[in-house]
Amino acid sequence: MAVEEHISQIRSGLTYQLSDRDPEETQEWLDSFDSLVEAQGTERAQFIIRSLLQRAGAKSVGVPHVTTTDYVNTIPVDQEPEFPGDESVERRFRAFMRWNAAIMVHRGQHPDIGVGGHISTYAGAATLYEVGFNHFFRGKDHAGGGDQVFFQGHASPGMYARAFLEGRLGEEDMDGFRQEKSKEGHALPSYPHPRSMPDFWQFPTVSMGLGPANAIYQAQLNRYIHNRGIKDTSDQHVWAYLGDGEMDEPESRGFLQLAANEKLDNLTFVVNCNLQRLDGPVRGNGKIMQELEAFFRGAGWNVIKVVWGREWDALLEADPDGALVDVMNQTPDGDYQTYKAESGAFVREHFFGQRPETKELVSEYSDDEIWNLKRGGHDYHKVYAAYKAATEFKGKPTVILAKTVKGYGLGTHFEARNATHQMKKLTLEDLKGFRDHLRIPITDEQLEADPYLPPYYHPGVDSAEYKYLMERRAELGGAVPTRRKETSAPISLPGDKSYAFAKRGSGKQQAATTMAFVRLLKDLMRDKDFGHRIVPIVPDESRTFGMDSFFPTAKIYNPAGQNYLSVDRDLVLAYKESPAGQLIHPGINEAGAVAAFTAAGTSYSTHDAPLIPIYVFYSMFGFQRTGDAFWAAADQMTRGFIIGATAGRTTLTGEGLQHADGHSPLLAATNPAVVTYDPAFGYEIGHIMRSGLDRMYGGKHEDPNVMYYLTVYNEPISQPAEPENVDVEGIVKGIYLLKEATTDGPRAQLLASGVALAWAVEAQQILADEWGVSADVWSVTSWNELARDGQIADDKVLTDPSSTRPVPFVTSKLESTTGPVIATTDYMRAVPEQIRPYVPGEFHTLGADGFGFSDTRAAARRFFKIDSHTLVVKTLASLAERGEIPADTAVKAHAKYDLNNPNAGTSGNAGGDS
């Protein structure tokens, strides 16, 4: 690394590379500025400096954009507000929490248990959390509606420790840490998992990078529902606690511009800058706080640095020439980490000893006094000042960069050590030292009795600490974290009228299932009692999916409105943005769309205002690209519809490999909260969505916390009207008989889903007309749900061997049929293969295995051998093997249809842009 690059990482560099031609004049300017600060304070000085910078720009004087400031606190001492609490009492019960958090993890390392845990993160971040708990975090009973707090995942022991002091958890609960089944009823999950603790945790955050993303979109949703008149969220704030190492995740930084562009001043990031990631320094040779300051400033955020505790104030005041600040600026993080793992004498020599002036500054300090110079993230006054400034700042989101020590107070074996993240238990010596440091009234005898089971500490409900703690929470609106499991009032679901058009079919016109879905969505949005709850989310593909018709009526959400003259303003489907817009348009941003989906889909809990997000995207770019985010959505118990449009490996013509989805149902199957369907017709979509709405929001289903994934296609077909007496149960459960054979002959069963159902119908006709074979056609709306139903039947017997095994739904549908069963889809063979164990008799599958490519639909389907003629040949081959037709029949059919020639394929048409 070049010297210039290294210096730019750790210093502001405003005057670097510029020569001082007149040092005497320079000093006069500096003296004048110092006098201004001394006489009128830092606030006046800020105005003068900004005025000078503005004038410099007007005079074309080159002034660099200030992306980093010196390595000192952003808020000057004279602008710090008075701390409103009783710091001594807060310090005492903070010590209790830090003890209990560490002991909970330590007890979990008993030789008979050994479940692990993380001690050091909360030990270093306790002050950051406790200032929030005691003075800022509003609970759900607050008049303003309460805040949303995204806790750093590895700090969860601290939240449990606070809940223990509050009486929300008992000792038996604390001893259930990371033992969710063996200690069921008294179990605590390792990290914030709402699905595991549905009354406690609100947001899952340990998938690093997703917490920042979801917090930003939660803040956006708060403004969205406010601007649309659904709920007043003007007094609600979103807090996200993050690690400095976590900020290397692309998701952690990737959405910062959204928060700035939408002026989300209802959002505060608190980055715990302990300078360490899991294995070592975040930036050993640089300065992560400076890097993050520059990044956030460049993204348009308000940045507050909390670097040094109050003990440094006098030293900085006594540093008129800036020698101490210069040393602070030039010292890399690797050295700062080492200092906190050594001693006061080491710091005197290696930090202050870098300059004669700085060494003299501490000449009268003892080594202990030097060692007690705290980092800002451990100082209540400095942290409170930062939080207050953040919540009062208008027009921008705020990030607070707070410098801490990982493992703070845990002793020399833990503090600032590279291995501290993996250290799970304390030695007897560590326990005693930790107890003494925190002044916990526990005796040596109690610790020595069983070093694996040191006692928890609670001061009692009559203690001053407990009363203070509870009074603060009561004033702020109740316990945090806490979660509302259900909406307090049922919502009105759409009636038959909204689904009427979906049942009619497309008549003489052709329509893709994408268009059938869009028309149904439009009808649902028109329902006067329900439509306003729908939140369509589309990442810059609305026109592709035929949703541009929503622009002029529902409008696109933009808190700033549309302050430009739209180029297509004269068109019927003009692009229209509005603060009250219903459509959320994240741009080319699938990860952001999932975050928006999660925020909207959990609004029933966070806001007691149920919303139904409907996220529409290229099917290939859903679970494959954002699977981790969907897992977090499932953990947060998100409800809504996920629409994989332009689905299938061969249906999206021309786009090629990276757009050809042949596997999204399999990826969806790995998520237990995703209910997956591959419908073929509009009326199927109608019944599936109606069933989904009833399950998620009807209030009667035992498991409403699911997400429905529907794949829809862009190939236009003749959409049939709903058959009379259609098997609605079969549609919802996964399979129904679409078209029974009408001829006599050897029998077969053809199963297909989605766009492939048309090939099965065509194959049925060919088999009857050309080969005398009688085939029934079954529409499989969900391979995944049929497989899960079968697995549940299997598990029933494992749970109770004496019980009778339930008959899986697909088995019950096919058990009275005859002949081989042949399945085809526009997906890889593994999709239909999911149901093999539950299909009675002979079962064969076709599939589009391998990579996709650009070609016509017919050619691609013939190449993969999944089309109608392949289905015919496979059926004939199966019947021939059974001896029901002549042995050479399939060979003749193969030659007749030229099955190896992609140009001979006929299944599919060339239409359909959406």
Side-chain angles (χ1 to χ4, degrees):
M1 181 185 293
V3 175
E4 291 82 359
E5 291 181 33
H6 176 69
I7 290 175
S8 69
Q9 281 191 7
I10 63 176
R11 300 178 63 183
S12 61
L14 284 176
T15 59
Y16 187 73
Q17 294 185 330
L18 296 177
S19 60
D20 188 353
R21 299 178 180 177
D22 192 341
E24 185 175 345
E25 182 185 22
T26 301
Q27 190 59 49
E28 289 176 0
W29 281 96
L30 294 175
D31 290 343
S32 177
F33 179 76
D34 291 343
S35 298
L36 172 65
V37 174
E38 186 175 346
Q40 300 192 46
T42 56
E43 195 168 358
R44 175 62 179 163
Q46 285 176 347
F47 180 80
I48 294 297
I49 288 295
R50 292 184 183 212
S51 298
L52 288 171
L53 288 171
Q54 186 170 310
R55 179 57 59 88
K59 295 291 186 182
S60 299
V61 176
V63 177
H65 177 60
V66 181
T67 55
T68 61
T69 57
D70 284 325
Y71 201 63
V72 295
N73 296 340
T74 300
I75 300 175
V77 176
D78 69 336
Q79 291 188 31
E80 289 178 6
E82 183 178 349
F83 182 71
D86 187 328
E87 189 175 6
S88 63
V89 175
E90 294 186 28
R91 185 185 295 114
R92 287 201 300 275
F93 65 71
R94 182 173 82 242
F96 304 158
M97 291 174 200
R98 294 180 63 223
W99 172 264
N100 290 331
I103 296 310
M104 180 185 71
V105 176
H106 176 82
R107 286 169 70 110
Q109 287 306 103
H110 190 282
D112 296 335
I113 302 174
V115 292
H118 298 285
I119 294 178
S120 295
T121 297
Y122 178 71
T127 296
L128 301 179
Y129 286 114
E130 281 305 301
V131 171
F133 276 118
N134 294 322
H135 302 284
F136 292 94
F137 301 159
R138 279 85 60 90
K140 65 182 179 64
D141 295 329
H142 189 272
D147 295 341
Q148 289 93 41
V149 186
F150 290 73
F151 294 98
Q152 194 177 356
H154 292 112
S156 63
M159 311 314 123
Y160 294 140
R162 170 169 263 272
F164 173 71
L165 278 190
E166 293 173 342
R168 301 169 65 198
L169 299 176
E171 288 194 15
E172 194 173 356
D173 300 314
M174 298 286 276
D175 280 345
F177 181 60
R178 291 193 169 200
Q179 299 156 75
E180 295 187 63
K181 299 304 178 185
S182 58
K183 296 287 181 67
E184 192 167 3
H186 295 280
L188 302 180
S190 52
Y191 303 123
H193 291 305
R195 189 166 286 274
S196 296
M197 290 184 75
D199 295 312
F200 192 87
W201 293 115
Q202 254 192 331
F203 306 108
T205 50
V206 85
S207 286
M208 292 189 177
L210 297 186
N214 286 340
I216 289 173
Y217 280 89
Q218 182 64 53
Q220 183 200 51
L221 181 89
N222 290 6
R223 290 285 168 82
Y224 171 87
I225 63 177
H226 182 88
N227 289 340
R228 289 192 56 216
I230 294 172
K231 181 188 176 186
D232 182 358
T233 62
S234 58
D235 196 28
Q236 294 186 270
H237 203 82
V238 177
W239 300 81
Y241 284 78
L242 317 168
D244 48 358
E246 179 181 3
M247 297 310 296
D248 280 347
E249 289 280 6
E251 294 89 348
S252 295
R253 304 193 192 193
F255 309 106
L256 299 186
Q257 82 288 341
L258 170 77
N261 291 346
E262 297 198 2
K263 299 179 172 59
L264 296 179
D265 50 25
N266 60 339
L267 171 67
T268 297
F269 276 14
V270 181
V271 183
N272 177 17
C273 295
N274 55 36
L275 314 185
Q276 291 183 245
R277 47 191 178 201
L278 306 188
D279 288 333
V282 180
R283 297 289 185 272
N285 291 324
K287 297 172 91 68
I288 187 59
M289 291 185 75
Q290 301 297 85
E291 177 186 319
L292 292 176
E293 178 185 24
F295 200 93
F296 276 91
R297 282 188 192 280
W301 286 52
N302 175 45
V303 180
I304 299 174
K305 289 192 299 189
V306 184
V307 190
W308 308 112
R310 74 194 78 167
E311 298 84 1
W312 290 85
D313 291 343
L315 289 174
L316 289 165
E317 180 68 24
D319 179 39
D321 297 324
L324 177 58
V325 173
D326 197 45
V327 170
M328 290 173 169
N329 285 341
Q330 295 189 56
T331 302
D333 283 353
D335 284 338
Y336 278 122
Q337 182 185 352
T338 299
Y339 297 152
K340 276 303 177 185
E342 295 292 340
S343 65
F346 187 93
V347 175
R348 181 193 302 276
E349 178 182 354
H350 292 273
F351 178 74
F352 290 104
Q354 293 181 53
R355 300 273 294 268
E357 306 97 301
T358 52
K359 189 171 186 178
E360 178 60 28
L361 278 176
V362 294
S363 61
E364 297 184 7
Y365 280 54
S366 68
D367 289 346
D368 285 343
E369 287 175 318
I370 290 177
W371 186 245
N372 288 326
L373 292 168
K374 289 198 298 288
R375 292 182 177 178
H378 302 302
D379 189 308
Y380 254 48
H381 288 208
K382 304 296 185 183
V383 174
Y384 177 83
Y387 285 11
K388 189 171 189 294
T391 55
E392 293 175 353
F393 193 90
K394 300 302 178 186
K396 292 182 180 181
T398 294
V399 60
I400 296 169
L401 306 174
K403 190 176 183 183
T404 64
V405 178
K406 194 167 187 176
Y408 183 70
L410 290 175
T412 56
H413 293 158
F414 284 79
E415 285 192 353
R417 299 290 174 181
N418 279 337
T420 191
H421 187 76
Q422 283 74 29
M423 296 169 71
K424 327 248 178 235
K425 58 187 177 182
L426 300 96
T427 65
L428 181 59
E429 180 185 352
D430 290 331
L431 287 169
K432 291 180 177 180
F434 190 38
R435 173 207 57 191
D436 293 343
H437 173 72
L438 298 176
R439 301 182 182 129
I440 306 295
I442 291 174
T443 66
D444 284 352
E445 290 75 18
Q446 288 175 286
L447 297 179
E448 292 166 358
D450 187 346
Y452 275 107
L453 295 174
Y456 297 110
Y457 180 74
H458 194 293
V461 296
D462 294 326
S463 66
E465 294 89 351
Y466 176 81
K467 290 179 179 178
Y468 182 100
L469 173 97
M470 299 304 287
E471 287 170 1
R472 294 303 308 136
R473 288 313 317 154
E475 186 174 334
L476 287 166
V480 173
T482 188
R483 181 182 177 277
R484 180 189 293 106
K485 286 198 289 189
E486 290 292 342
T487 180
S488 60
I491 65 175
S492 175
L493 295 178
D496 293 344
K497 182 179 179 181
S498 296
Y499 301 96
F501 192 87
K503 295 183 178 185
R504 295 178 196 163
S506 60
K508 296 181 180 180
Q509 292 184 329
Q510 290 189 324
T513 49
T514 299
M515 296 311 299
F517 156 75
V518 169
R519 175 55 199 262
L520 173 60
L521 177 58
K522 185 177 293 186
D523 290 343
L524 291 172
M525 290 174 66
R526 286 172 175 165
D527 186 290
K528 62 183 179 64
D529 297 320
F530 175 81
H532 68 286
R533 297 187 184 277
I534 293 177
V535 183
I537 303 168
V538 189
D540 205 33
E541 290 284 2
S542 296
R543 298 185 193 279
T544 302
F545 306 140
M547 295 178 67
D548 44 348
S549 60
F550 290 30
F551 293 166
T553 52
K555 300 182 179 61
I556 296 160
Y557 173 70
N558 188 327
Q562 191 168 37
N563 301 313
Y564 59 90
L565 196 62
S566 175
V567 67
D568 61 359
R569 61 193 179 280
D570 295 328
L571 300 180
V572 174
L573 303 183
Y575 195 82
K576 185 64 177 177
E577 300 177 83
S578 167
Q582 192 166 359
L583 280 72
I584 291 182
H585 196 310
I588 306 175
N589 181 0
E590 282 86 4
V594 180
F597 174 81
T598 302
T602 52
S603 186
Y604 71 92
S605 172
T606 54
H607 288 296
D608 196 19
L611 300 174
I612 295 84
I614 299 180
Y615 169 29
V616 190
F617 56 91
Y618 262 61
S619 59
M620 183 70 164
F621 305 142
F623 292 91
Q624 175 169 302
R625 182 169 293 181
T626 54
D628 192 22
F630 277 121
W631 268 94
D635 199 2
Q636 197 170 324
M637 291 180 282
T638 305
R639 303 174 187 175
F641 291 95
I642 311 162
I643 309 299
T646 57
R649 182 144 285 169
T650 67
T651 303
L652 183 60
T653 59
E655 291 284 3
L657 186 154
Q658 291 180 327
H659 289 63
D661 171 24
H663 54 281
S664 71
L666 292 176
L667 298 178
T670 65
N671 191 319
V674 176
V675 182
T676 304
Y677 288 91
D678 186 30
F681 305 128
Y683 69 82
E684 292 180 354
I685 295 173
H687 285 294
I688 291 166
M689 291 192 69
R690 188 169 195 170
S691 172
L693 287 171
D694 186 63
R695 175 173 179 174
M696 292 184 285
Y697 292 101
K700 295 179 181 178
H701 199 282
E702 61 182 10
D703 182 18
N705 300 314
V706 293
M707 300 169 280
Y708 276 66
Y709 177 49
L710 278 69
T711 48
V712 294
Y713 301 81
N714 75 327
E715 181 175 5
I717 62 171
S718 296
Q719 292 283 339
E722 181 179 302
E724 189 175 350
N725 300 319
V726 69
D727 182 2
V728 176
E729 180 190 35
I731 291 174
V732 173
K733 287 191 173 181
I735 184 172
Y736 71 100
L737 181 61
L738 174 73
K739 193 172 183 182
E740 192 172 3
T742 57
T743 60
D744 293 327
R747 202 82 175 186
Q749 308 300 316
L750 306 182
L751 275 59
S753 67
V755 74
L757 194 57
W759 319 336
V761 172
E762 183 183 3
Q764 179 192 49
Q765 191 69 44
I766 295 171
L767 284 166
D769 294 347
E770 300 181 21
W771 305 99
V773 170
S774 180
D776 300 322
V777 176
W778 298 79
S779 175
V780 180
T781 54
S782 180
W783 306 98
N784 293 29
E785 288 304 293
L786 293 178
R788 283 182 178 171
D789 176 69
Q791 292 157 9
I792 290 170
D794 291 341
D795 290 344
K796 173 74 173 175
V797 181
L798 287 174
T799 304
D800 182 6
S802 65
S803 66
T804 301
R805 178 180 181 270
V807 178
F809 188 74
V810 66
T811 307
S812 69
K813 286 292 186 181
L814 297 176
E815 61 187 354
S816 61
T817 64
T818 58
V821 180
I822 300 96
T824 191
T825 72
D826 200 12
Y827 295 98
M828 58 194 301
R829 185 175 278 106
V831 173
E833 281 288 339
Q834 294 178 91
I835 69 168
R836 177 176 290 278
Y838 315 110
V839 174
E842 185 181 339
F843 185 48
H844 302 278
T845 59
L846 306 175
D849 291 81
F851 290 109
F853 50 82
S854 300
D855 213 314
T856 66
R857 292 178 178 129
R861 289 162 185 170
R862 177 54 58 88
F863 172 83
F864 282 120
K865 293 185 173 60
I866 57 176
D867 63 352
S868 58
H869 291 104
T870 305
L871 197 54
V872 168
V873 172
K874 186 64 180 178
T875 303
L876 295 174
S878 301
L879 290 169
E881 288 178 4
R882 296 161 65 98
E884 297 183 31
I885 60 175
D888 63 348
T889 306
V891 176
K892 292 178 180 178
H894 193 287
K896 177 179 180 178
Y897 302 131
D898 197 6
L899 211 64
N900 290 334
N901 180 8
N903 291 307
T906 60
S907 295
N909 57 47
D913 293 327
S914 58

